[in-house]
Amino acid sequence: QVQLVESGGGLVQPGGSLTLSCAASGNIRSAYRMGWYRQAPGKQREMVATITTNRVIYYSESAKGRFSVSRDNAKNTVDLRMTSLKPEDTAVYYCRAETVVVDGRAGATDHWGRGTQVTVSS
């Protein structure tokens, strides 16, 4: 069974930095796109940054210039380096893996992690 486990969330002051990490496990052969989404209280979940196996990257407008996404295809991990954090970045951050191919299983599926809380506050 495919599992995504996030780590690295926490409390940080405005202007600070934080790095989130996500590790996917479960006999994964490939995961075409991995990335980060977030959901603030009372708001819909939104894309923050995504990266494909061939390093095509998308950022939300709010993430551009402040956040950096990277991945290790061999380890099926994806990181999100966040700098110049603002109170409005406070949210639960979710890792997502799309078009995941598992050894011995036909087809491809999408998966979400359980999320990690990021709170930006003084």
Side-chain angles (χ1 to χ4, degrees):
Q1 185 174 352
V2 175
Q3 288 189 323
L4 304 182
V5 178
E6 302 102 334
S7 61
L11 173 65
V12 62
Q13 292 186 341
S17 300
L18 209 58
T19 297
L20 305 181
S21 298
C22 172
S25 61
N27 295 320
I28 296 171
R29 178 177 298 178
S30 65
Y32 175 66
R33 181 182 288 112
M34 298 185 74
W36 293 91
Y37 292 70
R38 69 185 183 186
Q39 188 166 18
K43 295 187 177 181
Q44 289 188 331
R45 191 173 298 189
E46 62 177 0
M47 185 274 291
V48 177
T50 63
I51 180 170
T52 65
T53 49
N54 54 346
R55 304 293 194 268
V56 175
I57 293 173
Y58 291 99
Y59 292 106
S60 66
E61 285 300 317
S62 62
K64 286 179 181 178
R66 299 189 300 129
F67 295 0
S68 177
V69 65
S70 61
R71 67 180 289 174
D72 184 323
N73 289 337
K75 296 180 179 179
N76 293 311
T77 60
V78 61
D79 292 342
L80 183 69
R81 174 66 174 169
M82 303 185 293
T83 64
S84 301
L85 282 161
K86 306 173 183 179
E88 50 264 44
D89 293 317
T90 296
V92 178
Y93 284 70
Y94 296 91
C95 177
R96 185 181 186 193
E98 300 176 62
T99 319
V100 177
V101 178
V102 176
D103 283 335
R105 187 179 298 174
T109 51
D110 297 346
H111 301 270
W112 290 93
R114 293 187 175 184
T116 184
Q117 177 71 45
V118 172
T119 302
V120 184
S121 175
S122 55

